[in-house]
Amino acid sequence: MAGSTLGARSPAPFPAMTAAESRPHSRTRRNHGAFTLGGLLACVYSTRRSGQERGVSFELGGAELLLRGSLTPLQARHLAQALGAAAEAAEAAAGVTT
């Protein structure tokens, strides 16, 4: 899906590393979804950077990035469960069946 990168910058060149430091690293983020939220573009990413405790990120913005947050995988799962539960409750209140 093409779209705005919400202010993501190109990775800086890596400095020369010693043999001990030459483990494979990646600065790649994978976009898992983009949607509008209150008229703004919201994007959800995961990172492949090794050792990154908060490997899930969320960005919200339009022409400029307004919010960037990062979550652990467990926090992201809890957020997804809370959103799913709220959606089910709203559908039940409206009499919508899925």
Side-chain angles (χ1 to χ4, degrees), residues 76-94 96 98:
R77 284 189 185 94
H78 287 168
L79 177 58
Q81 289 171 349
L83 289 170
E88 288 177 15
E91 288 174 340
V96 176
T98 55

Side-chain angles (χ1 to χ4, degrees), residues 35-50:
F35 51 93
T36 56
L37 182 65
L40 299 171
L41 180 64
C43 296
V44 179
Y45 301 95
S46 65
T47 183
R48 296 181 188 173
R49 187 179 293 173
S50 61

